[in-house]
Amino acid sequence: MKTISDTVASLQCNDATGQCNDTTRQPNDTTTTIPLTTVTFPEIPLRTRDAHKLRGYFGDFFKEHSPLLHNHYDDGSLRYAYPLVQYKVLNRVPTLVGLGEGAQLLVELFLRIRALDIDGRKIEVLSKHIDHQQAAVEVGSALVKYRFETLWMPLNQENHREYMNADDKTRQELLQRILQNNILAFLKGAGAYQPDLPRLMILLNVQAQTTTQFKNQTMLAFTGDFVVNATLPNGIGLGKSVARGFGCIRQL
């Protein structure tokens, strides 16, 4: 398993204008480019399940800066849209991923990150890397294979009951339909969705079903890979709780 970026130590903006937060689309073109920023801390090893602690720390440390960092507005209400800042631990490396507005936000905050606080333990940041790019997103005829780098958690209370009462074939169809909706949620959240996009065609390969603890509840989660007629950025999350590191994908 590889980290999203553990060797890039400089900021790179690929668009000609120098603006890092613009989404561009050419007329009659199904390809969208979206700003994508990845920040890693390669010298601070953490466990995969510590991703929510990263979210808690940065969400509190920068809580006055933007609701995108913690998905709560000033009045305490939740931001229900697709998370544009996501916190992950990939191959033991703490990783922050920002999309769209979230990408520019991480660029602005990068130099202010000097320490992490995990379980009350302050860890000085001696090395941090940032990679900013314009990532291509496309839905078309080309099939691309992806692997879940972290557990995919697709089920809510309603479809969990449906899943548990279904036979194997129906379970497969249900999970593929949920994954399709997960990808559509990403496309809409990233500003890459349009009504005339080609239909998403998905073949999901579930390798294992397991359980994980989430907010003191036992949840079903899955490992595996899938093929879809879409180009998606490495490191984004699909499914439930992507802001806490679940459902991170990488192209194979």
Side-chain angles (χ1 to χ4, degrees), residues 147-156 159-160 163-164 171-172 174-175 178 182 204-212 219-225 238 246-248:
R147 176 180 62 215
F148 285 110
E149 297 280 271
T150 58
L151 290 175
W152 176 46
M153 195 163 56
L155 300 175
N156 56 31
N159 54 33
H160 178 272
Y163 178 85
M164 296 304 294
R171 285 183 174 185
Q172 174 74 9
L174 173 62
L175 291 178
I178 293 172
N182 292 166
L204 173 65
N205 172 36
V206 173
Q207 296 175 344
Q209 173 182 305
T210 185
T211 58
T212 185
M219 304 288 290
L220 277 182
F222 303 86
T223 63
D225 52 63
L238 299 175
F246 285 91
C248 179

Side-chain angles (χ1 to χ4, degrees), residues 74-191:
D74 292 339
D75 62 2
S77 61
L78 290 174
R79 177 185 178 274
Y80 287 103
Y82 181 84
L84 297 180
V85 177
Q86 302 171 13
Y87 307 86
K88 313 163 193 287
V89 178
L90 304 175
N91 198 27
R92 297 184 62 81
V93 177
T95 303
L96 279 58
V97 175
L99 302 157
E101 294 179 56
Q104 183 63 29
L105 187 60
L106 291 187
V107 170
E108 296 170 359
L109 299 179
F110 178 72
L111 293 178
R112 295 174 56 184
I113 302 174
R114 296 186 174 90
L116 302 182
D117 191 320
I118 305 297
D119 287 333
R121 179 170 63 102
K122 189 172 183 179
I123 307 171
E124 184 180 1
V125 173
L126 301 177
S127 174
K128 54 187 175 181
H129 299 159
I130 186 169
D131 176 35
H132 181 86
Q133 60 180 282
Q134 296 295 322
V137 179
E138 181 178 10
V139 178
S141 58
L143 297 176
V144 186
K145 188 174 184 178
Y146 300 88
R147 176 180 62 215
F148 285 110
E149 297 280 271
T150 58
L151 290 175
W152 176 46
M153 195 163 56
L155 300 175
N156 56 31
Q157 186 174 5
E158 180 179 344
N159 54 33
H160 178 272
R161 289 193 297 268
E162 182 181 353
Y163 178 85
M164 296 304 294
N165 293 328
D167 57 29
D168 289 344
K169 180 176 182 296
T170 305
R171 285 183 174 185
Q172 174 74 9
E173 293 172 348
L174 173 62
L175 291 178
Q176 289 190 162
R177 187 167 67 249
I178 293 172
L179 180 56
Q180 181 184 54
N181 290 335
N182 292 166
I183 295 174
L184 288 173
F186 157 73
L187 294 174
K188 293 176 181 178

Side-chain angles (χ1 to χ4, degrees), residues 59 62-68 70-79:
F62 293 118
K63 62 184 177 181
E64 305 299 331
H65 201 88
S66 171
L68 295 181
H70 44 71
N71 288 309
H72 287 80
Y73 294 107
D74 292 339
D75 62 2
S77 61
L78 290 174
R79 177 185 178 274

